[in-house]
Amino acid sequence: MAKKGGVQQLQADIQTDEDFEKFLERPGLLVLDIYSEWCGPCLGMVGSLRKIKLEIGGDNLHLGICKADTISYLKRFCKKSEPTWMFVTKGKSTNLLFGSNTPKLMKLIAQELELLNKPRTFYEITELQPEEERRRKIKLDAEMEAVNKEKAAKKKKRHDYLNSMTDTIIENIPDMGVTVFGPQVNRDMYKKILEPAENMKLQCKDRRVISVARADFDIVNYACPNPLPEDVLEQLDQKDLMMCFWKMPEDDRRPIPEVLNKYAHELTKERHEVDDLTEEEIVHPPIIVPMDLTIEIELQEGEEWEEDETEPEPASAPTASNKKGHKKEEQSAPAVAAEPAEGEEDEAEEGSEGDEGEGGEAGEGSEMPELQLDLDLDLDLDFDLGENEEGETEAEPEPEVEIVVKKRYRKKIIRVPPIWVAANARTHAALIYVFFRQQTSGFLPPDPVPEPPHIIMAFDAYKKRDLLSVMERLKDDVPRYGFFSSDEADEAKLIANSATKYATMPQNPADKIVFKVNKQTSHTMLSLATYGPSYVSADAVIGQQEALKFFPETYKTAEQEAIEAAEKEALKPKKKKKRSQHDLKAEATEAAVTTSGEESGESRPTTAPEEQGEAQEAAEGAEGEEVPPEEGGAPPTDAEGAPTPAPGEELAPPTEVNAAAEDGVADVEEAGDNPPPPAPEANAEAPAVEAILAAE
């Protein structure tokens, strides 16, 4: 407690603008420990600060801890985890130090105390100092490098994927190609453009009119040696273009670009023929021709451009409403629009307004020039001057004329070709991939859903409760998390993939909870960053590499494991209750007796359908299997209690006991009672029972 009290006496706790402004009024050197709410002040240097205050600072040294989150002057230091020290003298900042280097801080405080009353450079509290500018430039350069690196990696990944797709297309349909027609070629012209193709034995397998986008050609031209010019692509954006999917003749072994280029030449060349009657040469125009588009392009500042000579020059200098945007006119405009010299034209206008403001007629106003010419006459002009001054005050000021410079444009003619043929097979495959994907459904898999760029953020595991609460709200941007032994991707070992599992395991203070965070929005990263990460990936490229180490393809979340376990449980066969040999024999005997009773027309108690079905399943399941007798039990017997022979053995002849039993049955029948079935019939059913039991 004593140490805590010492800290309070040594440093002032500043949390509001009012406290901050009041603290800046103190004389001497002020050392501010600036901190953010989530990281706290740097209390590790309290002992050293106390020592330097007592030894050399005294009343000239004042220490304060400032919460940047609640002080508007220090907003630029919010969300920073690095200790920040600001040195202030006379309400102005003189220096800054970042980091927790105690010897460096003590040395800098001593230097600042020596320069306390000497002339030096001061900065406003809210102004960026040279060290901040240097750090800001380093940060911006690093961010730009990371962005460029990410773009290069993304481009390489895209090219590798397109190479794989186009290689597959070339391998499966090497004799296919695509021609792209300009907007001047429509459906009605299809028969005309098909004639040269039929002469060349080219087959049109598919024809489509497609509304193309500029982004489509970014994919098509990724490896094209003769792409369409950029200005042509801009004019074709969102236009409907007809495209044909061609198949080469089977006997033609030339490359597809060569064949289609010959076809394009046939469409765009003039045809000459000689009239048989007149023997005159007749020239037929090409089937399809280029289209010229005239567009206007705004001239940039400083760009020179001469208009056509046919355009008439204006007779006079342009006014504010009809001003032309030409260089020559701009140069002449200042001379025309120059203000008159002081005391010349303005005075004349003001004078005339003054007379009119006095209520005089138009004739009186015309006498002013004579007064100006006779100023040397001995006239009492005091009254007139007073009237002029009064007229000046009453006259309304002239409205300022706002000069609006009209934008300058130049005309440009863009020639759109009637047909475009790519110069290599890969670009033809790219055209098929983009515009005729249905032709590849038999061998080309669908495009995978692109994974957004992501980074790795690691935290101390003891912060898991707050972090998991944030992750639950932003789970769409945090697809993976886990507990690891370290935040070093090369050294980390997985401890648990959920907080529930981690709670049941031995825990170490060095354990880390690692998140894979999608870098789509900064909101998610900022929300997690407020809890002080121990590590954050430098960029998305490094983040992707680290994510593959922390969360490889074999990594499974707790939810995935639960789903797989449920699926396995559902696929397991249900275990049936195992019945003893005695139960099976009893069921078979009862079934046989019931059948015998039905044949004799006698009434027997029926067995429940469920029991009959179970008995039948048991009998069928046991068919073809040999069931040994249970240990210590009697061998299987038939319906009369006689032992049942094994398959292949002969039945023993009936004994005297069986004969006596048959006599007893005959006696009962003579008595007229309801006896069981006669012995011979029972014996007739015995083989069926014996067969079932033998099969079991």
Side-chain angles (χ1 to χ4, degrees), residues 174-175 200 248-249 251-260 262:
D175 57 347
M200 297 176 62
M248 286 177 54
D251 57 347
D252 197 337
R253 302 301 179 189
R254 290 178 297 171
I256 189 69
E258 182 180 342
V259 177
L260 292 181
K262 184 179 178 181

Side-chain angles (χ1 to χ4, degrees), residues 434-511:
V434 175
F435 298 114
F436 294 91
R437 189 64 180 272
Q438 71 278 5
Q439 300 289 343
T440 66
S441 58
F443 58 87
L444 204 62
D447 291 332
V449 179
E451 185 180 20
H454 50 264
I455 61 172
I456 289 295
M457 299 183 73
F459 303 82
D460 294 329
Y462 71 85
K463 302 177 181 179
K464 59 183 180 297
R465 179 175 297 178
D466 294 332
L467 290 167
L468 292 176
S469 176
V470 174
M471 189 203 73
E472 185 63 25
R473 290 187 290 105
L474 307 169
K475 56 185 176 182
D476 291 340
D477 287 339
V478 188
R480 295 283 186 275
Y481 88 96
F483 293 87
F484 293 84
S485 59
S486 171
D487 54 10
E488 293 287 340
D490 295 327
E491 303 174 359
K493 295 181 180 180
L494 178 64
I495 301 174
N497 62 353
S498 68
T500 305
K501 290 184 180 179
Y502 181 71
T504 62
M505 297 180 176
Q507 300 178 9
N508 192 303
D511 292 347

Side-chain angles (χ1 to χ4, degrees), residues 35 39 183 213 272 417 447 491 521 525 551 566-567 569 645 676:
Y35 71 96
C39 69
H272 299 263
D447 291 332
E491 303 174 359
T521 60
M525 292 185 292
F551 308 102
E567 290 176 351
E569 188 67 25

